[in-house]
PDB file of all heavy atoms in Angstrom:
ATOM      1  N   VAL K 113      -7.568 -57.559 -31.372  1.00  0.00           N
ATOM      2  CA  VAL K 113      -8.703 -56.829 -31.939  1.00  0.00           C
ATOM      3  C   VAL K 113      -9.125 -55.622 -31.094  1.00  0.00           C
ATOM      4  O   VAL K 113      -9.272 -54.526 -31.627  1.00  0.00           O
ATOM      5  CB  VAL K 113      -9.879 -57.788 -32.230  1.00  0.00           C
ATOM      6  CG1 VAL K 113     -11.138 -57.028 -32.578  1.00  0.00           C
ATOM      7  CG2 VAL K 113      -9.496 -58.735 -33.369  1.00  0.00           C
ATOM      8  N   PRO K 114      -9.308 -55.768 -29.778  1.00  0.00           N
ATOM      9  CA  PRO K 114      -9.687 -54.572 -29.011  1.00  0.00           C
ATOM     10  C   PRO K 114      -8.596 -53.505 -28.976  1.00  0.00           C
ATOM     11  O   PRO K 114      -8.890 -52.311 -28.900  1.00  0.00           O
ATOM     12  CB  PRO K 114      -9.979 -55.096 -27.606  1.00  0.00           C
ATOM     13  CG  PRO K 114      -9.706 -56.533 -27.606  1.00  0.00           C
ATOM     14  CD  PRO K 114      -9.333 -56.965 -28.974  1.00  0.00           C
ATOM     15  N   GLN K 115      -7.331 -53.936 -29.094  1.00  0.00           N
ATOM     16  CA  GLN K 115      -6.260 -52.942 -29.097  1.00  0.00           C
ATOM     17  C   GLN K 115      -6.232 -52.170 -30.408  1.00  0.00           C
ATOM     18  O   GLN K 115      -5.936 -50.974 -30.424  1.00  0.00           O
ATOM     19  CB  GLN K 115      -4.908 -53.599 -28.829  1.00  0.00           C
ATOM     20  CG  GLN K 115      -3.839 -52.616 -28.481  1.00  0.00           C
ATOM     21  CD  GLN K 115      -4.240 -51.718 -27.315  1.00  0.00           C
ATOM     22  OE1 GLN K 115      -4.427 -52.166 -26.208  1.00  0.00           O
ATOM     23  NE2 GLN K 115      -4.387 -50.429 -27.572  1.00  0.00           N
ATOM     24  N   VAL K 116      -6.566 -52.818 -31.508  1.00  0.00           N
ATOM     25  CA  VAL K 116      -6.685 -52.099 -32.782  1.00  0.00           C
ATOM     26  C   VAL K 116      -7.855 -51.119 -32.713  1.00  0.00           C
ATOM     27  O   VAL K 116      -7.757 -49.995 -33.214  1.00  0.00           O
ATOM     28  CB  VAL K 116      -6.826 -53.075 -33.974  1.00  0.00           C
ATOM     29  CG1 VAL K 116      -7.152 -52.327 -35.262  1.00  0.00           C
ATOM     30  CG2 VAL K 116      -5.547 -53.891 -34.149  1.00  0.00           C
ATOM     31  N   PHE K 117      -8.943 -51.523 -32.071  1.00  0.00           N
ATOM     32  CA  PHE K 117     -10.070 -50.608 -31.869  1.00  0.00           C
ATOM     33  C   PHE K 117      -9.591 -49.355 -31.136  1.00  0.00           C
ATOM     34  O   PHE K 117      -9.910 -48.229 -31.532  1.00  0.00           O
ATOM     35  CB  PHE K 117     -11.187 -51.308 -31.083  1.00  0.00           C
ATOM     36  CG  PHE K 117     -12.358 -50.425 -30.776  1.00  0.00           C
ATOM     37  CD1 PHE K 117     -13.344 -50.197 -31.719  1.00  0.00           C
ATOM     38  CD2 PHE K 117     -12.472 -49.819 -29.530  1.00  0.00           C
ATOM     39  CE1 PHE K 117     -14.436 -49.383 -31.443  1.00  0.00           C
ATOM     40  CE2 PHE K 117     -13.555 -49.001 -29.235  1.00  0.00           C
ATOM     41  CZ  PHE K 117     -14.541 -48.779 -30.189  1.00  0.00           C
ATOM     42  N   ASN K 118      -8.816 -49.545 -30.068  1.00  0.00           N
ATOM     43  CA  ASN K 118      -8.277 -48.398 -29.324  1.00  0.00           C
ATOM     44  C   ASN K 118      -7.329 -47.570 -30.177  1.00  0.00           C
ATOM     45  O   ASN K 118      -7.332 -46.341 -30.106  1.00  0.00           O
ATOM     46  CB  ASN K 118      -7.578 -48.851 -28.051  1.00  0.00           C
ATOM     47  CG  ASN K 118      -8.547 -49.137 -26.937  1.00  0.00           C
ATOM     48  OD1 ASN K 118      -9.700 -48.726 -26.981  1.00  0.00           O
ATOM     49  ND2 ASN K 118      -8.096 -49.858 -25.939  1.00  0.00           N
ATOM     50  N   ALA K 119      -6.526 -48.233 -30.978  1.00  0.00           N
ATOM     51  CA  ALA K 119      -5.602 -47.498 -31.853  1.00  0.00           C
ATOM     52  C   ALA K 119      -6.382 -46.591 -32.797  1.00  0.00           C
ATOM     53  O   ALA K 119      -6.014 -45.429 -33.002  1.00  0.00           O
ATOM     54  CB  ALA K 119      -4.740 -48.480 -32.649  1.00  0.00           C
ATOM     55  N   ASN K 120      -7.454 -47.107 -33.353  1.00  0.00           N
ATOM     56  CA  ASN K 120      -8.289 -46.290 -34.248  1.00  0.00           C
ATOM     57  C   ASN K 120      -8.950 -45.153 -33.474  1.00  0.00           C
ATOM     58  O   ASN K 120      -9.053 -44.035 -33.980  1.00  0.00           O
ATOM     59  CB  ASN K 120      -9.329 -47.160 -34.955  1.00  0.00           C
ATOM     60  CG  ASN K 120      -8.686 -48.058 -35.991  1.00  0.00           C
ATOM     61  OD1 ASN K 120      -7.724 -47.683 -36.647  1.00  0.00           O
ATOM     62  ND2 ASN K 120      -9.203 -49.263 -36.118  1.00  0.00           N
ATOM     63  N   ARG K 121      -9.367 -45.437 -32.257  1.00  0.00           N
ATOM     64  CA  ARG K 121      -9.984 -44.416 -31.413  1.00  0.00           C
ATOM     65  C   ARG K 121      -9.010 -43.266 -31.135  1.00  0.00           C
ATOM     66  O   ARG K 121      -9.397 -42.109 -31.084  1.00  0.00           O
ATOM     67  CB  ARG K 121     -10.439 -45.061 -30.096  1.00  0.00           C
ATOM     68  CG  ARG K 121     -11.402 -44.240 -29.307  1.00  0.00           C
ATOM     69  CD  ARG K 121     -11.855 -44.986 -28.088  1.00  0.00           C
ATOM     70  NE  ARG K 121     -10.942 -44.661 -27.011  1.00  0.00           N
ATOM     71  CZ  ARG K 121     -10.775 -45.362 -25.915  1.00  0.00           C
ATOM     72  NH1 ARG K 121     -11.439 -46.466 -25.728  1.00  0.00           N
ATOM     73  NH2 ARG K 121      -9.953 -44.979 -24.989  1.00  0.00           N
ATOM     74  N   PHE K 122      -7.729 -43.607 -30.984  1.00  0.00           N
ATOM     75  CA  PHE K 122      -6.693 -42.606 -30.718  1.00  0.00           C
ATOM     76  C   PHE K 122      -6.001 -42.132 -31.989  1.00  0.00           C
ATOM     77  O   PHE K 122      -4.956 -41.514 -31.950  1.00  0.00           O
ATOM     78  CB  PHE K 122      -5.681 -43.134 -29.707  1.00  0.00           C
ATOM     79  CG  PHE K 122      -6.221 -43.182 -28.309  1.00  0.00           C
ATOM     80  CD1 PHE K 122      -6.494 -44.389 -27.700  1.00  0.00           C
ATOM     81  CD2 PHE K 122      -6.468 -42.009 -27.611  1.00  0.00           C
ATOM     82  CE1 PHE K 122      -7.002 -44.429 -26.406  1.00  0.00           C
ATOM     83  CE2 PHE K 122      -6.969 -42.045 -26.320  1.00  0.00           C
ATOM     84  CZ  PHE K 122      -7.243 -43.259 -25.717  1.00  0.00           C
ATOM     85  N   LYS K 123      -6.586 -42.466 -33.137  1.00  0.00           N
ATOM     86  CA  LYS K 123      -6.133 -41.988 -34.441  1.00  0.00           C
ATOM     87  C   LYS K 123      -4.673 -42.335 -34.754  1.00  0.00           C
ATOM     88  O   LYS K 123      -3.921 -41.536 -35.299  1.00  0.00           O
ATOM     89  CB  LYS K 123      -6.386 -40.487 -34.568  1.00  0.00           C
ATOM     90  CG  LYS K 123      -7.861 -40.153 -34.399  1.00  0.00           C
ATOM     91  CD  LYS K 123      -8.189 -38.740 -34.749  1.00  0.00           C
ATOM     92  CE  LYS K 123      -9.620 -38.337 -34.546  1.00  0.00           C
ATOM     93  NZ  LYS K 123     -10.620 -39.284 -34.228  1.00  0.00           N
ATOM     94  N   VAL K 124      -4.282 -43.560 -34.400  1.00  0.00           N
ATOM     95  CA  VAL K 124      -2.967 -44.068 -34.772  1.00  0.00           C
ATOM     96  C   VAL K 124      -3.001 -44.384 -36.260  1.00  0.00           C
ATOM     97  O   VAL K 124      -3.961 -44.971 -36.755  1.00  0.00           O
ATOM     98  CB  VAL K 124      -2.620 -45.329 -33.944  1.00  0.00           C
ATOM     99  CG1 VAL K 124      -1.353 -45.997 -34.460  1.00  0.00           C
ATOM    100  CG2 VAL K 124      -2.487 -44.975 -32.462  1.00  0.00           C
ATOM    101  N   ASP K 125      -1.963 -43.990 -36.983  1.00  0.00           N
ATOM    102  CA  ASP K 125      -1.861 -44.264 -38.416  1.00  0.00           C
ATOM    103  C   ASP K 125      -1.556 -45.748 -38.610  1.00  0.00           C
ATOM    104  O   ASP K 125      -0.415 -46.183 -38.469  1.00  0.00           O
ATOM    105  CB  ASP K 125      -0.760 -43.399 -39.033  1.00  0.00           C
ATOM    106  CG  ASP K 125      -0.506 -43.722 -40.491  1.00  0.00           C
ATOM    107  OD1 ASP K 125      -1.301 -44.454 -41.112  1.00  0.00           O
ATOM    108  OD2 ASP K 125       0.521 -43.238 -41.012  1.00  0.00           O
ATOM    109  N   MET K 126      -2.577 -46.527 -38.919  1.00  0.00           N
ATOM    110  CA  MET K 126      -2.422 -47.974 -39.032  1.00  0.00           C
ATOM    111  C   MET K 126      -1.696 -48.396 -40.303  1.00  0.00           C
ATOM    112  O   MET K 126      -1.273 -49.545 -40.404  1.00  0.00           O
ATOM    113  CB  MET K 126      -3.790 -48.649 -38.937  1.00  0.00           C
ATOM    114  CG  MET K 126      -4.440 -48.536 -37.557  1.00  0.00           C
ATOM    115  SD  MET K 126      -3.419 -49.211 -36.214  1.00  0.00           S
ATOM    116  CE  MET K 126      -3.414 -50.949 -36.663  1.00  0.00           C
ATOM    117  N   SER K 127      -1.478 -47.481 -41.238  1.00  0.00           N
ATOM    118  CA  SER K 127      -0.759 -47.848 -42.462  1.00  0.00           C
ATOM    119  C   SER K 127       0.696 -48.230 -42.163  1.00  0.00           C
ATOM    120  O   SER K 127       1.315 -48.940 -42.946  1.00  0.00           O
ATOM    121  CB  SER K 127      -0.812 -46.712 -43.485  1.00  0.00           C
ATOM    122  OG  SER K 127      -0.050 -45.597 -43.055  1.00  0.00           O
ATOM    123  N   GLN K 128       1.220 -47.793 -41.039  1.00  0.00           N
ATOM    124  CA  GLN K 128       2.593 -48.153 -40.674  1.00  0.00           C
ATOM    125  C   GLN K 128       2.687 -49.541 -40.035  1.00  0.00           C
ATOM    126  O   GLN K 128       3.778 -50.011 -39.729  1.00  0.00           O
ATOM    127  CB  GLN K 128       3.188 -47.089 -39.749  1.00  0.00           C
ATOM    128  CG  GLN K 128       2.434 -46.881 -38.468  1.00  0.00           C
ATOM    129  CD  GLN K 128       2.951 -45.713 -37.665  1.00  0.00           C
ATOM    130  OE1 GLN K 128       4.146 -45.432 -37.645  1.00  0.00           O
ATOM    131  NE2 GLN K 128       2.053 -45.018 -37.003  1.00  0.00           N
ATOM    132  N   PHE K 129       1.532 -50.209 -39.884  1.00  0.00           N
ATOM    133  CA  PHE K 129       1.488 -51.534 -39.268  1.00  0.00           C
ATOM    134  C   PHE K 129       0.751 -52.509 -40.186  1.00  0.00           C
ATOM    135  O   PHE K 129      -0.372 -52.936 -39.891  1.00  0.00           O
ATOM    136  CB  PHE K 129       0.808 -51.445 -37.897  1.00  0.00           C
ATOM    137  CG  PHE K 129       1.418 -50.406 -37.004  1.00  0.00           C
ATOM    138  CD1 PHE K 129       0.691 -49.287 -36.631  1.00  0.00           C
ATOM    139  CD2 PHE K 129       2.721 -50.528 -36.557  1.00  0.00           C
ATOM    140  CE1 PHE K 129       1.245 -48.316 -35.821  1.00  0.00           C
ATOM    141  CE2 PHE K 129       3.294 -49.560 -35.749  1.00  0.00           C
ATOM    142  CZ  PHE K 129       2.560 -48.453 -35.378  1.00  0.00           C
ATOM    143  N   PRO K 130       1.358 -52.879 -41.301  1.00  0.00           N
ATOM    144  CA  PRO K 130       0.643 -53.714 -42.277  1.00  0.00           C
ATOM    145  C   PRO K 130       0.295 -55.105 -41.766  1.00  0.00           C
ATOM    146  O   PRO K 130      -0.756 -55.650 -42.137  1.00  0.00           O
ATOM    147  CB  PRO K 130       1.599 -53.771 -43.473  1.00  0.00           C
ATOM    148  CG  PRO K 130       2.945 -53.420 -42.927  1.00  0.00           C
ATOM    149  CD  PRO K 130       2.702 -52.498 -41.780  1.00  0.00           C
TER     150      PRO K 130
END
Side-chain angles (χ1 to χ4, degrees):
V113 170
Q115 194 54 65
V116 172
F117 177 82
N118 280 343
N120 289 325
R121 196 176 90 199
F122 287 109
K123 301 190 182 351
V124 171
D125 175 11
M126 292 303 294
S127 69
Q128 59 187 325
F129 307 114

